[in-house]
Structure formats: structure tokens, C-alpha cells
Amino acid sequence: MKQFLRYRFSTVLGVVGAGQMGTGIAIVGSAVAGLRVRVVDVNEQRLNASHNFVSKWCDKEIQKNRMTDQIKTDVLQRFSFHLQMSDLASCDFVVEAAPEKFEMKAEIFRQLVKATKPETILASNTSSISITKLAGITDRPDRIIGMHFMNPVPVMKLIEVIKGLQTSQQTLDTTLELASKMKKEIVIAQDIPGFIANRILMPYINEAIQTLHEGIGTVEGIDKAMKLGTNVPMGPLTLADFIGLDTCLEIMRVLHQDLGDSKYRPCPLLVNYVNAGWLGKKSGRGFYKY
């Protein structure tokens, strides 16, 4: 098995955030890469939900004959769940998977800098926020990098790796090796808002919402037109519900603010849905009811 200890990479992966993305990252870290994983979240209920999700995910893999009971036991034994950032002190690599809000991520990085060793690499799962900007608030900007996983993480093959202005080659090499160990395909994107995937995807979703807002088509009609007309597996409004409308709005706001182009202005209907608490599948209602 390929090793990456030459880059001072330990067998312990830290993950900050026990939501859908953080849990998915932790799963591929343990089940695919074979690493010990420490998941940290300030919410004990989320940690318990994450633990339960991992166990149920393993059960589904067993039902599909992709995992045995013994492998499940091994995967779960490599997991630990924590409420304190200090429990990541021995990790050499930590991935932050918090909501797409700069100040929230910045505060997590400030805490991580205090909690981890100076040589620890800190990666953000941000899908739009500047890695260079995040690195600038730390005392180790050369060890900050973007590692944008796609949702759902155990299923989607892609990771966007984003090198900030200050990111060292060694940090990039270590990150690429971790992604390879997770059996992911890799694209390297420039540190420009939205990177590659969301620079293209979010304006597409936003325009679909604008099309609905203007009454050009119904929810079902818009999704059907794009699914059957362009052969995508999921219509844009279904996809928005799956991603989370609040996440879509945050990304569009980053694009609009940082790029300064009116074409990235969030559709008013998207803003209203988020204000109403209609966030998509996770809230039980978005463009569809769940």
C-alpha cells in the first residue's frame, strides 16, 4: 500500500464538522483510506447523528456485498467523536467542513492553529471561499489548502484541490496523496471564487431559479427540460434542493461580492425561499416537498 508518511502525514485524520459533508469525508478517510479519524463538532447531537449515519452506511454496504461485518467493525473502530478542538492535537492533517460562511470558517481556523501542531496541514472543504484569504489569518499560510469534496462524498469521485497564494508544494503534494489514498479523482483549480465546479454550476442553478421566478416554466417542467434535453442525471431545482438552498445562496453571494459581476446576483426567489426556511431536502421543503 502506498504510504505518505514521507510528508509527515500521520494515520490520524481530523475532521471538523459532523454534518453531511464532514461525515462523508470521515467515511472515506476510514473506510477507503484506512485511516483513524477524529470527528469534532460543538453539537453533541450532531456527533451522535454522525456516528449513527456511519453505522447505517456500513450496513447498506454489507447489504450490497461491498463490505463484511468484520470490515464494518474495523471501520467503526477507527472512528472517534469529540466535542473539543484540542482532541485534534496529534493530527497531521485536518479537514474543516463547516457551513459556507467566511467568518465561521475563519474562527475554526483560528482555533485549529491553537489546537494543532505548527506542522499540521489545515484544509478547507469550502466550495467558493478564498483559500488565500483563509490562509492569511493563520500563522502557517504555507500549510493551508482547499480540498473541495463533492456531495455525497462516499459516492462522488471528484475532489477539487485549491492551492492558495501561500500554499507550499509540500502541502500540495501531501494533499494530492491523501486524495489518491481516498481513491478520488483530482482536479486542481485556481484560487478564484467558486473555483471550477461552482463557478459553472451555481449560476446554472441560479438561472433555473430565475426561470421559475419569471414564470417561464414550472418546477417540474424546468427539471424535465434539463434532464431530457441535456441528459443530466438530476434537474437543476432538484439538485438545488439536494445541495441546500442556503448553501446555494451563500455561494452565489460570494461570487457576486468577490467577482463584482451582476450576472452572479442571487435570484430574489432563492433569497425568499431561504428566508422562509425552505432549504431543500434537509428541511423537508424546497422547490419540492420531502
Side-chain angles (χ1 to χ4, degrees), residues 87-120:
D87 289 310
L88 301 178
S90 64
C91 295
D92 284 342
F93 200 109
V94 178
V95 181
E96 164 273 314
E100 197 68 1
K101 297 179 180 180
F102 175 77
E103 286 304 326
M104 182 181 292
K105 290 181 183 291
E107 179 56 30
I108 289 171
F109 270 74
R110 292 186 189 102
Q111 293 180 35
L112 283 171
V113 165
K114 295 178 181 178
T116 59
K117 300 173 294 185
E119 61 269 26
T120 299

Side-chain angles (χ1 to χ4, degrees), residues 33 69 74 89 118 120 123 144 180 210 222:
D69 289 332
D74 294 341
T120 299
I144 309 300
S180 178
Q210 186 68 31
I222 291 166

Side-chain angles (χ1 to χ4, degrees), residues 38-181:
R38 295 178 182 172
V39 181
V40 170
D41 199 293
V42 296
N43 188 309
E44 189 170 7
Q45 187 175 1
R46 266 200 304 267
L47 286 172
N48 291 333
S50 178
H51 182 272
N52 291 334
F53 183 89
V54 175
S55 181
K56 290 178 181 178
W57 178 85
C58 289
D59 289 337
K60 290 179 181 178
E61 292 297 291
I62 291 171
Q63 292 172 5
K64 297 173 183 176
N65 296 317
R66 295 199 291 240
M67 182 179 286
T68 64
D69 289 332
Q70 182 57 55
I71 292 175
K72 174 186 175 181
T73 299
D74 294 341
V75 168
L76 294 179
Q77 285 179 344
R78 289 193 287 268
F79 267 89
S80 62
F81 297 85
H82 309 268
L83 289 165
Q84 302 297 326
M85 207 74 82
S86 58
D87 289 310
L88 301 178
S90 64
C91 295
D92 284 342
F93 200 109
V94 178
V95 181
E96 164 273 314
E100 197 68 1
K101 297 179 180 180
F102 175 77
E103 286 304 326
M104 182 181 292
K105 290 181 183 291
E107 179 56 30
I108 289 171
F109 270 74
R110 292 186 189 102
Q111 293 180 35
L112 283 171
V113 165
K114 295 178 181 178
T116 59
K117 300 173 294 185
E119 61 269 26
T120 299
I121 292 173
L122 305 178
S124 176
N125 182 52
T126 180
S127 54
S128 63
I129 294 170
S130 169
I131 300 303
T132 299
K133 188 176 180 181
L134 280 173
I137 67 168
T138 76
D139 63 354
R140 64 184 81 160
D142 60 314
R143 292 183 176 271
I144 309 300
I145 196 164
M147 205 175 186
H148 178 209
F149 291 80
M150 305 295 149
N151 188 29
V153 181
V155 175
M156 301 296 280
K157 295 292 186 182
L158 182 68
I159 294 179
E160 273 186 308
V161 174
I162 304 96
K163 184 179 178 183
L165 187 63
Q166 316 95 315
T167 306
S168 71
Q169 186 62 43
Q170 180 175 334
T171 296
L172 176 61
D173 290 342
T174 306
T175 304
L176 295 177
E177 199 156 2
L178 173 60
S180 178
K181 195 170 182 66

Side-chain angles (χ1 to χ4, degrees), residues 184-205:
K184 297 293 187 182
E185 296 291 332
I186 303 157
V187 294
I188 297 178
Q190 293 296 314
D191 188 22
I192 303 297
F195 316 131
I196 296 173
N198 281 330
R199 180 70 176 268
I200 299 168
L201 177 64
M202 285 302 155
Y204 158 71
I205 288 176

